[in-house]
Amino acid sequence: MSAVISASKMEEFISSIKNSNSPITDELENLRTPFVNRLLDENFPTTRDEYWKYIRTNKIAKSSYSFLNEEVSNTISSAFVLDEENKEIDAYKVVLKNGFNTAHDYNNLPNQSIANIKEITACFSTELADYFAKEEDNDRNVFNTLNSAYFNGGFLIELNETLDKPLHIIHEISGGDVIAQPRIIVTSKKSVEATIIHTTVSDKANNVLLNGTYEIFVAENSNISVINIQNEREGVFQVNNTQAHQEKNSTVSLHFYSLNGDWIRNNTNILVNGEGCESNLYGAYTAINKQQIDNHTVVDHRKANCESNELYKGTATDKATVTFNGKVFVRQDAQKINAFQSNNNILLSDDATINSKPELEIYADDVKCSHGSTTGQLDEEALFYLRSRGLSPESANKLLVGAFVGEVIENVKQDVVKHHIAQLFGLE
Amino acid sequence: MLSIKNLHASIEDKEIIKGLNLEVKAGEIHAIMGPNGAGKSTLSSILAGNEDYEVTKGEILFEGNDLTELDTEERAAEGLFLAFQYPVEIPGVSNMNFLRTAINEIRKYKGQEDIKAKDFLALVKEKSALVELNPDLLKRYVNEGFSGGEKKRNEIFQMAMLDPKLAILDETDSGLDIDALRIVSNGVNKLRTPNNATIVITHYQRLLDYIVPDFVHVLYDGKIVKSGPKELALELEEKGYDWIKEELATV
């Protein structure tokens, strides 16, 4: 009798992904092989895993996803960041459709280098291998490994000089049982400033997993902001793995504005590997229906004289679940660190759930760190005051919720983008 | 305009208002005075529709309608205004946005179109001058970081913007210096017309030098126990409340 070896759950999961995968260069194949192998040993986390306790992955694990490279209907306009006259803002624009690159004018970036990650050639000065999955171990999770093993599109962007307007990356999502795995690596030269906006939009999506990994290497004196606007419709599971790596005297600001979509998990990591850095993390969310929004952040201070600020605020209503799990490490050599972490929530219904876990792990002795978390309800006195002036409970609620998350949105530097986000949250 | 008959009201089963009667007609100013704990602020909270209080008996008619049937915002839309003793600070909500929303909601209730931006700004300019309120304050968040006097002026400014039929000023004089008191009082007096009415709730006679009442009522232990002309306020100032308590005891 011969033994029957059944395929592991993960092998089963990736079988249709593998089959729909398009061929890539040998160089890339070499890069991702270790992750293909590693993936086979991994499983999807369950609620027994500490960092995945409040968000369910079983629907994803049971799905049979494949890549889909086809036209998405052109009705998707909500992706665009609009100004007050509802005109698209002036930005360099690239479009990924279900994770695949499109011909959308991405070679128009002046004096910058941008290439389809699957078509990197030897003449491109950055060695992909120097950056690809470099910080993988900082937050090892199966979604990140899945992306490293089977990314299906994306870019390698070298910022040679300051970007005069934002780079807007639009993720268009559609189809049924589709997986989209964009991979974007951004590196910068010294003293470069840039803003990158990610917007996610979906059309006729039914069980789509958008699992993006975005690696950002911020060189000395550079200042890079990344603004994620997560406004997809129902039927989309989104995992955003963002890993920033900072060199000395650099600033990085990562924003996450989560509005729609059934399920959003943001794995956000900042590794501060130089002195004199500033790291900012901002998040605002309004969870409705049965939505699950989970922000998981790590700021790892490895060098002295740095500051990090973290501000996450939002609301949960209906049967929604919101989770914040933020961790700040201050390593032994990282003296004189100021680290602030704050998560504030408002619970708007009896059936909604909010989980908040700020964590500090400090090994240095001369640091100033604080963390705080609040979960409450809308201020009854303020509600009464507004209503006594004629505001309906709905309008009064809206004003107060807007004021609450508005504190986060204030941190967006570009006015047009700020107004756009405020509008999405119904503040203006 | 306002007719309160045999009103009883309680909070958490504790009766605070115990058979209160009050008639206010258009064009009148009524002052309600009384010692601490008499139920003055409770009365204003009940009139504004604070749901912490339960009306257990009696009736409140406002322009002939049962006020207790209306929600707080409906009372505002019907023309009732409460100037708070302690105006609430609301960080993140700008004064202008708040007021524009309030005016538009009231207009919607009345079946009117939204106010035009230009008309709104003109109204703000006119009414803020009335209470000498720095227009820059209006760009700031509601009452946040305002001084005591600025908060009270902002209350009267809101009153001017909303143009109520009946305004209740709950201890508007508390925390005001003499200049602010004069400014606030001037504002209230300028807003007076034969068609509206004001109830002034206060501890002290001082405010009534500026806002001269047609009637003065003494509220004590949940009831109005004495009413009289404006001179009653002077008598109270001079003699305190003990003589009224004694009068009641002998009865």
Side-chain angles (χ1 to χ4, degrees):
Chain A
M1 289 239 324
S2 60
V4 177
I5 301 165
S6 68
S8 76
K9 276 185 191 163
M10 188 54 78
E11 268 175 281
E12 224 174 286
F13 177 81
I14 57 176
S15 62
S16 50
I17 295 176
K18 257 162 71 178
N19 290 339
S20 62
N21 199 18
S22 44
I24 53 170
T25 61
D26 288 349
E27 192 193 353
L28 279 182
E29 197 66 63
N30 290 339
L31 271 181
R32 72 186 196 183
T33 300
F35 298 98
V36 172
N37 294 333
R38 185 202 281 181
L39 188 63
L40 293 173
D41 294 331
E42 293 192 15
N43 268 315
F44 283 100
T46 68
T47 52
R48 284 187 298 278
D49 293 278
E50 181 62 25
Y51 289 145
W52 296 83
K53 212 168 166 175
Y54 304 107
I55 189 157
R56 295 177 191 285
T57 60
N58 49 343
K59 188 153 187 231
I60 294 171
K62 274 189 236 151
S63 294
S64 177
Y65 293 117
S66 35
F67 294 112
L68 176 70
N69 191 0
E70 66 174 37
E71 284 297 302
V72 176
S73 102
N74 58 7
T75 57
I76 300 174
S77 59
S78 59
F80 301 116
V81 176
L82 306 169
D83 67 11
E84 275 162 273
E85 273 106 44
N86 274 348
K87 279 188 271 185
E88 233 177 280
I89 63 151
D90 196 14
Y92 301 108
K93 204 163 55 188
V94 295
V95 179
L96 290 166
K97 290 184 171 176
N98 286 337
F100 286 98
N101 293 60
T102 64
H104 208 300
D105 71 84
Y106 63 79
N107 37 20
N108 288 351
L109 278 176
N111 308 318
Q112 319 285 356
S113 311
I114 179 165
N116 182 332
I117 197 161
K118 290 163 84 178
E119 295 166 0
I120 304 289
T121 52
C123 64
F124 209 78
S125 69
T126 301
E127 287 287 339
L128 193 60
D130 290 347
Y131 296 99
F132 185 82
K134 194 180 172 195
E135 310 296 352
E136 178 85 12
D137 285 341
N138 204 25
D139 176 33
R140 228 173 124 162
N141 75 68
V142 65
F143 289 101
N144 223 343
T145 311
L146 182 63
N147 185 293
S148 297
Y150 297 108
F151 58 89
N152 67 309
F155 305 99
L156 174 60
I157 302 166
E158 262 180 60
L159 297 169
N160 299 316
E161 58 183 57
T162 291
L163 259 184
D164 56 340
K165 49 190 182 182
L167 170 62
H168 184 185
I169 301 169
I170 299 162
H171 300 267
E172 294 186 357
I173 301 300
S174 73
D177 296 315
V178 167
I179 188 168
Q181 299 215 97
R183 180 87 179 200
I184 298 172
I185 298 173
V186 177
T187 69
S188 80
K189 293 269 163 56
K190 286 181 186 174
S191 306
V192 164
E193 283 188 36
T195 296
I196 297 168
I197 303 168
H198 286 272
T199 51
T200 318
V201 283
S202 64
D203 183 52
K204 297 193 189 91
N206 177 25
N207 191 27
V208 176
L209 173 62
L210 168 61
N211 179 37
T213 292
Y214 314 110
E215 294 162 289
I216 305 147
F217 295 85
V218 190
E220 197 179 324
N221 285 322
S222 285
N223 183 345
I224 295 184
S225 295
V226 182
I227 300 168
N228 294 279
I229 302 173
Q230 301 174 321
N231 194 28
E232 57 268 27
R233 294 183 201 158
E234 286 168 11
V236 180
F237 292 77
Q238 169 158 203
V239 186
N240 176 310
N241 304 291
T242 297
Q243 299 183 320
H245 180 112
Q246 286 185 263
E247 296 296 329
K248 73 177 177 187
N249 299 325
S250 68
T251 300
V252 73
S253 303
L254 306 177
H255 300 247
F256 295 85
Y257 300 104
S258 312
L259 296 117
N260 291 313
D262 289 340
W263 189 101
I264 297 171
R265 165 78 177 209
N266 295 316
N267 295 311
T268 312
N269 274 272
I270 301 180
L271 197 157
V272 193
N273 208 23
E275 293 198 19
C277 288
E278 182 185 326
S279 320
N280 301 305
L281 281 168
Y282 302 109
Y285 40 85
T286 50
I288 57 168
N289 300 329
K290 288 183 171 177
Q291 221 182 338
Q292 300 181 58
I293 298 177
D294 187 339
N295 281 295
H296 180 84
T297 72
V298 176
V299 178
D300 190 350
H301 285 288
R302 298 199 176 169
K303 295 283 161 67
N305 299 310
C306 293
E307 184 175 315
S308 64
N309 305 291
E310 196 165 350
L311 179 65
Y312 280 73
K313 290 179 93 173
T315 63
T317 188
D318 304 326
K319 292 184 172 179
T321 304
V322 156
T323 303
F324 171 80
N325 184 184
K327 193 159 194 166
V328 176
F329 288 103
V330 181
R331 306 290 175 184
Q332 202 166 0
D333 295 334
Q335 301 293 355
K336 309 259 184 225
I337 295 295
N338 290 335
F340 306 103
Q341 195 185 42
S342 172
N343 174 230
N344 310 111
N345 301 290
I346 291 179
L347 199 54
L348 293 170
S349 82
D350 291 342
D351 296 324
T353 309
I354 287 166
N355 309 288
S356 178
K357 192 178 175 199
E359 291 177 85
L360 291 172
E361 215 172 298
I362 302 171
Y363 299 97
D365 49 22
D366 184 13
V367 300
K368 209 156 99 189
C369 296
S370 71
H371 62 176
S373 160
T374 60
T375 295
Q377 283 160 338
L378 285 178
D379 180 353
E380 288 291 331
E381 271 188 54
L383 269 178
F384 180 67
Y385 187 77
L386 295 175
R387 288 179 61 196
S388 79
R389 301 300 183 243
L391 272 73
S392 65
E394 294 73 35
S395 304
N397 255 302
K398 202 175 131 187
L399 270 190
L400 293 178
V401 168
F404 184 72
V405 295
E407 194 197 343
V408 180
I409 299 166
E410 277 299 301
N411 294 293
V412 176
K413 294 276 187 305
Q414 295 82 359
D415 279 344
V416 172
V417 182
K418 191 193 315 191
H419 288 309
H420 176 75
I421 295 167
Q423 272 172 7
L424 292 177
F425 277 92
L427 311 194
E428 290 178 2
Chain B
M1 177 177 291
L2 181 73
S3 168
I4 304 177
K5 290 201 178 94
N6 192 29
L7 182 69
H8 290 255
S10 42
I11 182 165
E12 290 166 357
D13 291 332
K14 187 172 180 245
E15 189 166 64
I16 310 279
I17 302 295
K18 306 171 181 173
L20 185 141
N21 295 292
L22 183 67
E23 290 285 334
V24 178
K25 295 195 176 69
E28 295 177 347
I29 294 181
H30 290 244
I32 297 180
M33 303 182 72
N36 288 328
K40 300 191 298 294
S41 285
T42 299
L43 179 63
S44 60
S45 294
I46 290 167
L47 290 175
N50 187 329
E51 283 153 17
D52 293 344
Y53 297 92
E54 193 192 349
V55 173
T56 52
K57 212 170 152 187
E59 64 172 18
I60 310 172
L61 296 180
F62 178 58
E63 298 278 65
N65 298 316
D66 183 356
L67 198 65
T68 58
E69 291 290 307
L70 299 177
D71 289 332
T72 298
E73 61 276 12
E74 291 169 330
R75 297 178 194 203
E78 290 287 344
L80 190 126
F81 181 90
L82 170 65
F84 282 61
Q85 182 179 1
Y86 303 110
V88 184
E89 295 192 11
I90 312 180
V93 176
S94 83
N95 264 304
M96 293 288 258
N97 192 14
F98 155 53
L99 266 176
R100 205 184 52 233
T101 311
I103 285 174
N104 284 335
E105 295 255 322
I106 291 174
R107 290 173 75 98
K108 195 165 89 189
Y109 181 89
K110 293 177 177 166
Q112 298 167 338
E113 301 267 292
D114 280 2
I115 189 166
K116 290 198 184 86
K118 197 179 79 198
D119 297 342
F120 177 73
L121 290 174
L123 198 64
V124 165
K125 203 173 161 195
E126 180 197 335
K127 303 300 182 186
S128 58
L130 198 71
V131 284
E132 300 176 33
L133 192 67
N134 182 349
D136 284 346
L137 282 179
L138 300 171
K139 292 176 193 151
R140 302 215 328 237
Y141 296 143
V142 178
N143 292 323
E144 196 192 35
F146 284 29
S147 71
E150 286 168 342
K151 282 181 185 168
K152 295 299 172 77
R153 270 190 270 173
N154 193 19
E155 291 295 285
I156 306 306
F157 166 66
Q158 291 174 30
M159 173 178 155
M161 290 292 288
L162 300 178
D163 189 23
K165 289 179 196 152
L166 175 66
I168 303 149
L169 313 183
D170 188 4
E171 309 243 359
T172 294
D173 49 340
S174 69
L176 289 189
D177 61 32
I178 205 79
D179 290 332
L181 188 68
R182 202 186 57 241
I183 292 166
V184 164
S185 307
N186 277 343
V188 173
N189 288 332
K190 282 184 198 154
L191 293 172
R192 187 176 185 183
T193 73
N195 303 317
N196 62 25
T198 308
I199 297 174
V200 181
I201 294 175
T202 180
H203 261 295
Y204 304 106
Q205 194 271 335
R206 194 178 63 162
L207 177 66
L208 305 180
D209 286 342
Y210 297 95
I211 304 173
V212 181
D214 301 299
F215 302 94
V216 174
H217 309 278
V218 179
L219 182 61
Y220 175 67
D221 194 24
K223 282 193 287 268
I224 284 175
V225 295
K226 198 171 183 68
S227 297
K230 63 175 191 276
E231 288 75 18
L232 178 59
L234 292 167
E235 202 176 347
L236 290 168
E237 180 82 355
E238 195 184 319
K239 302 205 273 185
Y241 292 102
D242 286 349
W243 63 280
I244 290 179
K245 293 179 194 170
E246 281 160 24
E247 239 182 53
L248 286 170
T250 45
V251 172

